[in-house]
Short mmCIF file of all heavy atoms in Angstrom, two decimals:
data_model
loop_
_atom_site.label_atom_id
_atom_site.label_comp_id
_atom_site.label_asym_id
_atom_site.label_seq_id
_atom_site.Cartn_x
_atom_site.Cartn_y
_atom_site.Cartn_z
N VAL J 107 0.73 14.46 2.95
CA VAL J 107 0.17 15.77 3.23
C VAL J 107 1.20 16.77 2.75
O VAL J 107 2.30 16.86 3.28
CB VAL J 107 -0.10 15.96 4.74
CG1 VAL J 107 -0.63 17.35 5.01
CG2 VAL J 107 -1.07 14.90 5.23
N GLU J 108 0.86 17.52 1.71
CA GLU J 108 1.80 18.45 1.12
C GLU J 108 2.03 19.64 2.04
O GLU J 108 1.14 20.09 2.74
CB GLU J 108 1.27 18.97 -0.24
CG GLU J 108 1.10 17.87 -1.28
CD GLU J 108 2.41 17.37 -1.81
OE1 GLU J 108 3.45 18.02 -1.59
OE2 GLU J 108 2.41 16.32 -2.46
N ASN J 109 3.23 20.18 2.00
CA ASN J 109 3.56 21.38 2.75
C ASN J 109 3.42 22.58 1.83
O ASN J 109 4.31 22.90 1.06
CB ASN J 109 5.00 21.29 3.29
CG ASN J 109 5.43 22.57 3.97
OD1 ASN J 109 4.60 23.40 4.31
ND2 ASN J 109 6.73 22.70 4.16
N ASP J 110 2.28 23.27 1.90
CA ASP J 110 2.02 24.40 1.03
C ASP J 110 2.92 25.59 1.34
O ASP J 110 3.07 26.49 0.53
CB ASP J 110 0.56 24.84 1.14
CG ASP J 110 -0.40 23.78 0.62
OD1 ASP J 110 0.02 23.02 -0.27
OD2 ASP J 110 -1.54 23.71 1.11
N GLN J 111 3.51 25.59 2.55
CA GLN J 111 4.35 26.71 2.95
C GLN J 111 5.83 26.35 2.92
O GLN J 111 6.65 27.00 3.55
CB GLN J 111 3.95 27.18 4.35
CG GLN J 111 2.52 27.67 4.43
CD GLN J 111 2.19 28.17 5.82
OE1 GLN J 111 3.06 28.36 6.67
NE2 GLN J 111 0.92 28.39 6.08
N ALA J 112 6.17 25.30 2.18
CA ALA J 112 7.56 24.82 2.20
C ALA J 112 8.54 25.88 1.74
O ALA J 112 9.68 25.90 2.17
CB ALA J 112 7.70 23.57 1.33
N SER J 113 8.10 26.77 0.84
CA SER J 113 9.02 27.77 0.31
C SER J 113 8.98 29.06 1.12
O SER J 113 9.68 30.01 0.81
CB SER J 113 8.67 28.07 -1.15
OG SER J 113 7.34 28.54 -1.25
N GLU J 114 8.13 29.14 2.15
CA GLU J 114 8.00 30.35 2.94
C GLU J 114 8.50 30.12 4.36
O GLU J 114 8.27 29.09 4.95
CB GLU J 114 6.52 30.78 3.00
CG GLU J 114 5.88 30.98 1.64
CD GLU J 114 4.39 31.24 1.77
OE1 GLU J 114 3.94 31.57 2.87
OE2 GLU J 114 3.71 31.12 0.75
N TYR J 120 6.90 24.68 10.49
CA TYR J 120 5.52 24.53 10.03
C TYR J 120 5.13 23.05 9.96
O TYR J 120 4.07 22.64 10.42
CB TYR J 120 5.35 25.18 8.65
CG TYR J 120 4.04 24.87 7.99
CD1 TYR J 120 2.87 25.52 8.37
CD2 TYR J 120 3.96 23.90 6.98
CE1 TYR J 120 1.65 25.22 7.78
CE2 TYR J 120 2.75 23.59 6.39
CZ TYR J 120 1.61 24.26 6.79
OH TYR J 120 0.41 23.95 6.20
N LEU J 121 6.02 22.25 9.40
CA LEU J 121 5.74 20.82 9.28
C LEU J 121 5.62 20.16 10.65
O LEU J 121 4.73 19.34 10.88
CB LEU J 121 6.84 20.12 8.47
CG LEU J 121 6.77 20.31 6.96
CD1 LEU J 121 8.08 19.85 6.32
CD2 LEU J 121 5.60 19.56 6.36
N GLY J 141 10.27 17.23 2.96
CA GLY J 141 9.37 18.38 3.00
C GLY J 141 7.90 18.04 2.97
O GLY J 141 7.07 18.89 2.66
#
Side-chain angles (χ1 to χ4, degrees):
V107 177
E108 297 288 346
N109 175 17
D110 294 331
Q111 298 182 12
S113 59
E114 303 174 17
Y120 170 78
L121 283 167

